[in-house]
Amino acid sequence: MAFDVEMIKKVYDRYSSRIAAARIAVGKPLTLTEKILYSHLWQGEATQAFERGKSYVDFAPDRVAMQDATAQMALLQFMQSGRTKVAVPSTVHCDHLIEAKINSKTDLDKAVHESSEVYDFLASVSNKYGIGFWKPGAGIIHQVVLENYAFPGGMMIGTDSHTVNAGGLGMIAIGVGGADACDVMAGLAWELKMPKLIGIKLTGKLNGWTAPKDVILKVAGILTVKGGTGAVVEYFGEGATSMSCTGKATICNMGAEVGATTSTFGYDRSMSRYLAATGRGEVAAAADAIAEHLTGDPEVYANPKLYFDQVIEIDLNTLEPHLNGPFTPDLATPISQMKSAAKANDWPTKIEYGLIGSCTNSSYEDISRAVSLAQQVSDKGLKLRSAFTITPGSEQVRFTVERDGFLNIFDKIGATVFANACGPCIGMWARVGAEKAEKNTIVHSFNRNFAKRADGNPNTFAFVGSPEIVTAMAIAGDLSFNPLTDKLINDKGEEVMLDPPTGYELPPRGFDVDDAGFKAPAEDGSGVQVLVSPDSKRLQILDPFPAWEGIDLNGLKLLIKAKGKCTTDHISMAGPWLKFRGHLDNISNNMLIGAINFFNEKTDLVKNQLTGQYDTVPNTQRAYKAAGIGTIVVGDENYGEGSSREHAAMEPRHLGVRAVLVKSFARIHETNLKKQGMLGLTFANKEDYDKILEDDTIDIEGLLNFEPNKPLQVVLNHADGSSETIQVNHTYNEQQIEWFKAGGALNIIRREFAESQ
């Protein structure tokens, strides 16, 4: 079924005039990214050029997508806005709360039972406010969006960092916090700093064992986890047009792991084919009619260094399969070097699990190529040496691959098919024995591999690869195995090699599904009751955060000085904590429990300056809150990288943290802090991080004259009676300063709506 066709046609109707205006304003040929951004300005047609990396710009996204874990808080906030219906097409997808343990049916039934009140809330609030609802089992948000909602040249925001997956269909799709989603659903502009542009030229064509996943694994190795921060990555060249639409989506999906705002590709025949195959031929025809506007201008791609801030070129003819990891997605190792790398680093070479699927790699093409290797297990007298699991991305994909016999082939070799949900990729994996914390290795086709990410075990060495490579490695059971060159011994004692994978871009007999899992909202939701029990442990109606007192913040206690990598997983863990995503007070009991305390090298153990005793981070912070004392969190580089979860900002805000001071922020987390009325500050001199002592009491001065581009002063009052003043920077613009003063952006939304009535 094609959704929002008329909305898409309206977007396309204005494209020509808006791009013409943008070309005049910018004064030069346009990249695809610029075309989409300038055609979605809140003001309408462009009247000026915006400076990349500096100008804050108001945009008008076409739609909003939310997954169940983050939708709870986003919709709880939206309920406070006073609106009666969402202003743009919006959807909720139930994919994060389903734990992978036994098999798809058993796990789904358990989730529906255990999370019924959350699903009932999401279904009812969606029904009331005009939001499309995708029930549990329908699939992972990003695959479902690609199949049903993404369209070339569109702009979408979503409450998940991998919203960027839709770039595979030529969108600008950006992960945001729920407060941003709330703004857009309430009919307000959405603000973004005009991104810088990274152009990646792909030459040649993928062949043999190499897959689209290897492109982004290579890029991650080049850019690192923060090299794309503040930038959109735009892919182009013959190598881009030669790969499938879903392959492009894989590349865009994992672009979140280099910190990129989003990634995208120009419209081409593969996108047109995919739109037609997924029942959106009318959208394909509309896109075909304005195809020249849905890709970068020819002059841009002919001389990319003149138009992009950075250009990278990758030859797909010579690109080698990669495995990235462990513990970080940017440690890129070509498969030919893995044996020596594993030996040099003492990585466990026995592979315990191979896992394919997830929002990153769960397309029909991915599964068909993996199944071509699974078939060789039977054909060549081999057997799986590792446990092996498959997580389909949507019910449409699952139904179609079952119809085509693929699941039967996986079943014959002993593989387990999990539910159409996120599962192990986000830590929702009840892996037997993980609690023993034994050193072990897994390989998967997911996007992230931070410590504890998949199974909660800090000693699980997780490596990221394509579904094809993961399947081959699971067959061999050995991290040092190179399927391009190495032989295996079959049940007859013969040496055999795996043939390179083969597959189908799209199902030859078309997609099929009995029940995709969609529920349309009521035409008039005024009589619909939102279901939230006042005694619920999982849902809690929000109270507004208090406004700024109008004075400098003095007497703040240091809560924690986090050392090294501190992702949103460290700040607000997923896994079993997902069940509390709709209850701010309960989920705040996981605040910063994964962060490493600089002063003792331990997690979840910090000094309470009121008692001199050490306790958990949440307990210590609650003690400060009870005493009416504000606190500050200090962090390292790229603080808050990873998932878009705004709980990582809302939990500290709820418990009384007043400011976060770090060497540098990940983009989404910094915005989330601002939205919640927090101070997000950076050291003007990064070496000042070393001056923060465990017993410090800290003052933040200059807030009475809080202005854009004007540094603040932080006074470090040490326990020995000495003090020193350091300068700190911020990126707040005038509107964001108003968020801070009001106690959060939502307070302004509520006030403005009330005044308009």
Side-chain angles (χ1 to χ4, degrees):
M1 179 168 73
F3 294 90
D4 307 318
V5 174
E6 293 309 309
M7 178 272 284
I8 295 170
K9 288 182 177 179
K10 288 181 181 178
V11 172
Y12 286 173
D13 286 345
R14 70 184 188 222
Y15 241 80
S16 181
S17 63
R18 291 202 173 186
I19 288 177
R23 193 171 279 119
I24 293 172
V26 174
K28 60 181 179 180
L30 301 174
T31 64
L32 168 65
T33 302
E34 290 170 317
K35 289 182 178 181
I36 299 175
L37 292 176
Y38 277 99
S39 69
H40 284 84
L41 294 177
W42 180 258
Q43 69 184 50
E45 293 187 358
T47 55
Q48 66 179 103
F50 296 101
E51 189 174 358
R52 298 176 192 169
K54 291 189 177 180
S55 299
Y56 283 92
V57 185
D58 285 341
F59 292 102
D62 301 311
R63 66 175 311 108
V64 174
M66 297 166 280
Q67 42 94 333
D68 50 356
T70 51
Q72 295 171 62
M73 197 58 67
L75 293 173
L76 285 166
Q77 291 176 87
F78 179 77
M79 287 169 62
Q80 294 189 41
S81 71
R83 272 58 171 179
T84 58
K85 192 171 185 178
V86 292
V88 301
S90 304
T91 52
V92 168
H93 304 259
C94 297
D95 60 358
H96 272 58
L97 302 179
I98 303 168
E99 185 179 57
K101 184 175 183 179
I102 299 173
N103 58 49
S104 57
K105 184 181 186 308
T106 303
D107 297 343
L108 180 58
D109 289 345
K110 179 182 177 184
V112 169
H113 173 72
E114 291 185 346
S115 297
S116 59
E117 67 173 314
V118 173
Y119 294 142
D120 289 345
F121 163 70
L122 292 173
S124 64
V125 75
S126 297
N127 198 27
K128 183 174 182 67
Y129 293 109
I131 299 168
F133 180 72
W134 291 81
K135 67 185 182 182
I140 307 173
I141 175 173
H142 311 303
Q143 181 67 27
V144 173
V145 165
L146 195 73
E147 293 174 1
N148 295 278
Y149 299 112
F151 66 96
M155 173 181 272
M156 176 176 70
I157 62 170
T159 60
D160 188 281
S161 54
H162 293 105
T163 298
V164 295
N165 187 81
L169 253 176
M171 290 195 89
I172 289 293
I174 300 174
V176 299
D180 278 358
C182 179
D183 285 0
V184 175
M185 289 190 292
L188 303 181
W190 174 64
E191 183 187 69
L192 177 73
K193 184 184 289 185
M194 197 67 173
K196 294 185 177 182
L197 300 181
I198 298 174
I200 299 187
K201 182 178 182 179
L202 303 179
T203 62
K205 186 176 182 180
L206 296 169
N207 59 85
W209 284 91
T210 311
K213 184 66 163 281
D214 296 304
V215 175
I216 187 58
L217 295 177
K218 175 75 171 180
V219 169
I222 296 170
L223 290 177
T224 77
V225 291
K226 62 179 182 177
T229 301
V232 172
V233 180
E234 182 174 324
Y235 292 85
F236 61 93
E238 61 179 349
T241 57
S242 69
M243 69 177 67
S244 68
C245 174
T246 52
K248 295 178 175 71
T250 291
I251 293 170
C252 293
N253 180 294
M254 201 172 157
E257 274 42 80
V258 300
T261 301
T262 192
S263 304
T264 195
F265 285 80
Y267 181 64
D268 61 19
R269 298 313 303 164
S270 72
M271 295 183 191
S272 181
R273 290 192 297 270
Y274 186 74
L275 286 168
T278 51
R280 293 174 286 171
E282 195 173 358
V283 176
D288 289 342
I290 63 162
E292 65 179 298
H293 299 317
L294 301 177
T295 189
D297 286 336
E299 299 93 329
V300 170
Y301 297 152
N303 296 285
K305 291 183 179 179
L306 299 179
Y307 303 95
F308 292 97
D309 299 290
Q310 180 181 356
V311 177
I312 297 169
E313 185 168 333
I314 298 175
D315 181 4
L316 301 186
N317 290 328
T318 59
L319 181 65
E320 188 177 344
H322 280 62
L323 281 173
N324 284 25
F327 305 125
T328 184
D330 60 353
L331 181 56
T333 305
I335 195 69
S336 63
Q337 298 175 26
M338 180 52 72
K339 183 175 182 178
S340 59
K343 183 177 181 180
N345 292 283
D346 194 29
W347 295 334
T349 55
K350 182 179 185 297
I351 297 173
E352 302 293 340
Y353 265 90
L355 307 99
I356 66 169
S358 84
C359 67
T360 320
N361 278 112
S362 57
S363 67
Y364 186 91
E365 181 179 41
D366 289 329
I367 295 178
S368 70
R369 284 173 63 85
V371 87
S372 74
L373 296 167
Q375 183 63 52
Q376 294 180 53
V377 174
S378 301
D379 293 347
K380 298 188 176 185
L382 299 168
K383 68 176 182 178
L384 282 175
R385 299 288 180 181
S386 308
F388 189 61
T389 71
I390 301 97
T391 303
S394 69
E395 175 58 14
Q396 179 168 267
V397 166
R398 190 213 62 80
F399 188 96
T400 304
V401 298
E402 181 179 44
R403 178 203 68 188
D404 292 349
F406 295 169
L407 297 189
N408 185 51
I409 294 172
F410 284 130
D411 183 63
K412 284 182 179 179
I413 66 172
T416 299
V417 178
F418 287 141
N420 313 322
C422 299
C425 183
I426 59 159
M428 289 295 283
W429 181 23
R431 182 182 176 188
V432 176
E435 72 282 355
K436 298 177 183 177
E438 294 176 337
K439 189 175 179 179
N440 75 104
T441 286
I442 65 174
V443 293
H444 60 60
S445 67
F446 309 157
N447 40 46
R448 292 192 174 134
N449 58 349
F450 304 137
K452 301 184 180 181
R453 173 78 178 184
D455 61 2
N457 178 1
N459 296 313
T460 292
F461 289 60
F463 295 85
V464 183
S466 69
E468 301 92 319
I469 288 295
V470 170
T471 304
M473 302 304 279
I475 293 171
D478 192 331
L479 191 63
S480 62
F481 175 69
N482 181 355
L484 284 70
T485 59
D486 297 349
K487 294 181 172 64
L488 297 169
I489 306 298
N490 68 9
D491 54 11
K492 297 179 182 178
E494 302 167 334
E495 289 187 336
V496 297
M497 285 190 70
L498 294 173
D499 298 324
T502 58
Y504 301 94
E505 175 186 352
L506 296 163
R509 293 195 286 153
F511 285 107
D512 200 1
V513 67
D514 278 346
D515 178 10
F518 175 74
K519 183 179 179 181
E523 286 293 327
D524 179 4
S526 59
V528 176
Q529 180 182 359
V530 176
L531 303 177
V532 179
S533 168
D535 300 322
S536 175
K537 303 298 183 187
R538 299 189 62 174
L539 294 164
Q540 179 186 47
I541 299 298
L542 295 174
D543 292 322
F545 289 132
W548 172 54
E549 304 90 333
I551 58 176
D552 285 340
L553 301 181
N554 296 320
L556 304 180
K557 297 296 185 183
L558 176 68
L559 175 62
I560 186 173
K561 179 178 175 179
K563 180 180 180 180
K565 187 183 287 287
C566 192
T567 72
T568 49
D569 277 343
H570 295 88
I571 305 167
S572 175
M573 287 187 176
W577 290 96
L578 286 174
K579 67 173 69 75
F580 299 121
R581 283 284 178 87
H583 197 295
L584 182 55
D585 193 58
N586 283 346
I587 198 171
S588 293
N589 288 321
N590 79 357
M591 186 190 73
L592 284 159
I593 64 176
I596 297 173
N597 182 356
F598 178 91
F599 299 107
N600 59 16
E601 301 281 335
K602 297 182 183 298
T603 59
D604 203 22
L605 192 67
V606 296
K607 187 174 183 178
N608 181 336
Q609 292 189 42
L610 303 180
T611 65
Q613 302 299 308
Y614 285 83
D615 202 346
T616 67
V617 181
N619 284 350
T620 303
Q621 180 57 38
R622 287 184 186 276
Y624 288 133
K625 182 179 182 180
I629 297 173
T631 60
I632 185 171
V633 170
V634 173
D636 213 320
E637 295 279 10
N638 207 28
Y639 182 89
E641 73 172 279
S643 299
S644 66
R645 65 189 67 141
E646 66 188 318
H647 298 76
M650 294 187 76
E651 292 173 30
R653 180 74 164 101
H654 171 66
L655 292 184
V657 177
R658 302 303 301 271
V660 179
L661 172 60
V662 301
K663 292 181 180 178
S664 65
F665 281 109
R667 176 189 63 83
I668 298 176
H669 186 65
E670 183 180 25
T671 300
N672 286 346
L673 290 170
K674 293 177 179 179
K675 284 279 184 175
Q676 301 305 332
M678 292 273 282
L679 278 178
L681 308 172
T682 56
F683 292 100
N685 179 0
K686 292 183 179 182
E687 285 70 31
D688 287 343
Y689 170 89
D690 299 322
K691 296 179 180 178
I692 309 293
L693 304 181
E694 188 172 28
D695 293 303
D696 279 353
T697 298
I698 297 171
D699 305 326
I700 301 176
E701 299 179 341
L703 292 174
L704 296 177
N705 298 298
F706 195 10
E707 298 175 3
N709 304 312
K710 184 177 181 180
L712 299 173
Q713 285 72 47
V714 166
V715 181
L716 308 176
N717 300 295
H718 302 310
D720 64 3
S722 66
S723 67
E724 52 189 318
T725 300
I726 63 174
Q727 183 171 291
V728 297
N729 296 329
H730 66 85
T731 61
Y732 287 73
N733 59 27
E734 291 181 359
Q735 176 177 280
Q736 293 166 347
I737 290 173
E738 291 305 310
W739 296 346
F740 168 73
K741 292 179 178 179
L746 187 58
N747 290 347
I748 294 178
I749 295 174
R750 186 188 307 104
R751 183 181 68 208
E752 291 177 348
F753 183 77
E755 291 172 351
S756 69
Q757 298 305 296

